[in-house]
Amino acid sequence: MPVKLSFTLNGRPVSAEVEPTMALLELLRERFDLTGAKLGCGEGECGACAVLLDEEAVLGCLTPAFAVDGRTVRTVEGLSSSEGLSALQQAFVSEGAIQCGFCTPGMEIAAASLLRQEPRPTPEQIRRGLEGNLCRCTGYVAMIEAVEAVNDD
Amino acid sequence: MKGGPAREALRAVNPPTGYFRPDSVADALEILARVDQARVVAGGTDWMLSVRTQGQVPAAVVDIFRLEELQGLIRHPDALEIGAAVTVARLLASAEVARDAPLLAQAADRFGSPPVRSRATIGGNLCNASPAADLTVALLASDATVEVASRRCRRSLAIRELVLGPRRTALASDELLVSVRVPIRPGAVWAFQKSGRRPALEISAAAVAFSAVLQDGHLREPRIACGAVAPTPMRALQAERLIADRRLDPSLILACARRAAAEVEPIDDVRGSALYRRRLVGAFVSRCLEGCHAG
Ligand SMILES: Cc1cc2nc3c(=O)[nH]c(=O)nc-3n(C[C@H](O)[C@H](O)[C@H](O)COP(=O)(O)OP(=O)(O)OC[C@H]3O[C@@H](n4cnc5c(N)ncnc54)[C@H](O)[C@@H]3O)c2cc1C
Ligand code: FES
Ligand code: FES
């Protein structure tokens, strides 16, 4: 029995029909072609699949697609606007917090979720905010500095 | 290597036949009573994992995550009542939980990562019945009880009556866990310790929750609950008896830690050997007692 969903995706009203076992990540990647969120581990450990559900970070791989009905979803594609990258994304670029970029969408979503709750986070709060996201390239210092740099604006 | 099977499971093969999102507990119970093999799903953090990694697909899903009646955080004179669908993120943000159920607050603070905490619920942690469930360990040491409902009856169970074995609870297929009741213990001392390879994210290799009431320097009704060291979270009853109504001193703390390490029943697995886990339990019990001794 497919489930009918209506929700707001990156600012636009959309609808879809999904099976109850479908993960949110699959809905976004395969039905809406939003390939920013990545399938890394598929088990909740790496955060590469993170997206914002009502502006709070959730894991695309472990959140059922049906959970978004009537709600607001924002992916990394929705962080930037027609004017370009958001301040947070620009900070990731300027601080050298990106190498291969696989973890970047999830990192920026985790950071965006943190900044909404805690507009001026301490380095410790930033570390805790990003603790669910793994990066295999850069190490984490540049990312923490990037999130701190957003505060300095 | 994990990408292979996970990727396949992302496209679930045999879809469930039903999806229900009831607006009331009464409706949820009606569905559970009528629909064969219906599966309650709250945040889905454990459930989706079982779908993805084991291809376990239920006949029907009953989505309770947003059910209003399960969202309560109610302060009664003698207890805090927490709705089954309250998330770990909400526990962590709640001033009531911090003040009246500090052990639960501490377990929530060491739980998963932010995107896990925003979906994981207290009811899901109990009903998933993992030997390592941290909230369950904290609730066991808090003498918490749960309220369970079906169309037939309502009943109240202690944590050890609810969780019977790995992935096994006392709930019948038509029953729903509705709320958790955490007694408020004025004058309580408490501590929570856990470990994992990545403490914040990893499933615990061992966890210990401790609480007691401190009266003229004596420990009344001490509770020592241990996670990931037996088929279910368990109380270290012998260790508790050693310190009950006594004043703590270094040699008593050592004896209590040793007794707890001896009475747990850990196994060897990927998260640690049985011996390592016994040592963790001993070390955690010492730390818990030293902390409250000093305080
Ligand atoms: C990356 C990661 C990190 C994690 N870290 C931790 C951790 O640090 N500590 C820890 O303890 N756990 C951890 N977990 C496990 C998991 O997040 C928790 O057990 C969580 O509390 C489950 O809640 P849920 O709402 O997601 O449950 P669901 O997946 O929705 O449900 C779990 C089970 O409980 C049943 N159920 C749920 N609610 C009810 C109800 N009200 N009545 C009857 N049955 C019900 C479901 O049918 C299902 O069988 C982690 C998981 C992941 C993926
Ligand atoms: S893919 Fe979701 S956490 Fe790794
Ligand atoms: S930049 Fe490559 S994984 Fe983080």
Side-chain angles (χ1 to χ4, degrees):
Chain A
M1 186 173 81
V3 190
K4 287 198 174 68
L5 308 176
S6 311
F7 60 106
T8 304
L9 179 55
N10 293 334
R12 278 203 307 264
V14 296
S15 56
E17 278 197 11
V18 302
E19 291 301 337
T21 48
M22 185 189 266
L24 175 56
L25 183 62
E26 185 192 5
L27 175 67
L28 297 173
R29 289 181 61 89
E30 314 224 335
R31 301 281 180 85
F32 291 100
D33 265 337
L34 292 168
T35 54
K38 303 280 186 282
L39 178 62
C41 63
E43 298 183 356
E45 304 269 351
C46 74
C49 61
V51 297
L52 296 172
L53 179 51
D54 289 344
E55 299 301 309
E56 204 178 1
V58 300
L59 298 174
C61 72
L62 293 185
T63 301
F66 60 67
V68 305
D69 189 35
R71 303 176 70 182
T72 298
V73 176
R74 209 136 67 94
T75 65
V76 69
E77 289 89 345
L79 287 185
S80 50
S81 66
S82 51
E83 278 111 70
L85 298 181
S86 69
L88 169 68
Q89 292 177 304
Q90 194 53 57
F92 264 67
V93 175
S94 354
E95 298 295 324
I98 304 175
Q99 272 186 40
C100 80
F102 189 87
C103 69
T104 309
M107 285 287 178
E108 292 183 353
I109 289 292
S113 179
L114 169 71
L115 289 171
R116 196 188 62 93
Q117 284 165 22
E118 203 63 65
R120 299 195 147 266
T122 63
E124 180 53 28
Q125 286 172 321
I126 299 173
R127 246 175 246 124
R128 289 212 58 185
L130 301 183
E131 76 192 341
N133 296 73
L134 294 181
C135 174
R136 57 192 174 177
C137 302
T138 66
Y140 301 92
V141 177
M143 293 164 191
I144 293 162
E145 287 171 355
V147 180
E148 276 191 291
V150 182
N151 307 338
D152 298 339
D153 291 352
Chain B
M1 226 174 71
K2 273 179 186 167
R7 217 166 280 272
E8 250 159 54
L10 194 55
R11 295 175 192 81
V13 241
N14 21 354
T17 49
Y19 170 78
F20 301 91
R21 194 167 73 216
D23 291 326
S24 67
V25 166
D27 286 354
L29 299 181
E30 189 67 32
I31 296 162
L32 288 174
R34 285 229 205 117
V35 182
D36 206 27
Q37 295 189 4
R39 174 72 169 262
V40 174
V41 173
T45 59
D46 282 318
W47 175 71
M48 280 254 57
L49 196 62
S50 73
V51 170
R52 300 175 63 96
T53 59
Q54 293 145 44
Q56 279 178 16
V57 177
V61 162
V62 185
D63 178 3
I64 60 159
F65 188 74
R66 280 184 275 171
L67 223 173
E68 198 56 44
E69 288 166 74
L70 304 180
Q71 310 293 339
L73 261 176
I74 306 163
R75 171 68 147 87
H76 298 287
D78 59 338
L80 192 63
E81 185 188 325
I82 304 171
V86 169
T87 62
V88 179
R90 267 191 74 208
L91 293 177
L92 202 49
S94 155
E96 284 84 8
V97 174
R99 191 187 53 226
D100 297 325
L103 204 41
L104 191 60
Q106 185 73 32
D109 187 61
R110 303 284 312 273
F111 190 111
S113 59
V116 176
R117 293 198 288 266
S118 61
R119 296 284 307 169
T121 64
I122 188 169
N125 198 253
L126 286 161
C127 294
N128 192 53
S130 158
D134 291 322
L135 304 185
T136 308
V137 174
L139 291 170
L140 188 60
S142 310
D143 285 345
T145 55
V146 297
E147 211 34 50
V148 169
S150 69
R151 226 177 37 172
R152 297 169 290 122
C153 67
R154 266 188 177 246
R155 55 186 183 137
S156 170
L157 297 174
I159 302 297
R160 62 160 201 293
E161 294 169 322
L162 173 76
V163 184
L164 301 180
R167 317 269 153 206
R168 205 158 61 80
T169 68
L171 297 189
S173 63
D174 64 343
E175 281 183 315
L176 183 71
L177 195 154
V178 177
S179 63
V180 182
R181 218 181 150 84
V182 188
I184 295 168
R185 302 177 92 184
V189 288
W190 53 272
F192 181 83
Q193 295 274 333
K194 89 174 212 187
S195 88
R197 278 181 295 135
R198 287 155 66 205
L201 190 58
E202 193 68 21
I203 307 302
S204 310
V208 170
F210 166 76
S211 86
V213 174
L214 200 56
Q215 204 178 46
D216 315 322
H218 294 74
L219 289 178
R220 310 291 182 203
E221 300 180 340
R223 304 282 181 261
I224 301 173
C226 307
V229 288
T232 65
M234 68 173 278
R235 293 251 306 267
L237 294 171
Q238 298 170 18
E240 289 177 3
R241 248 174 262 131
L242 269 185
I243 55 172
D245 302 318
R246 304 265 313 264
R247 248 175 217 283
L248 286 180
D249 61 49
S251 71
L252 187 57
I253 291 176
L254 185 65
C256 178
R258 284 198 176 140
R259 185 64 62 90
E263 73 181 293
V264 295
E265 306 150 22
I267 53 164
D268 294 307
D269 75 5
V270 290
R271 284 187 270 279
S273 69
L275 178 64
Y276 171 61
R277 289 184 147 131
R278 279 192 201 281
R279 291 200 173 144
L280 282 178
V281 167
F284 288 170
V285 169
S286 294
R287 272 186 224 164
C288 286
L289 296 180
E290 274 157 16
C292 87
H293 182 46

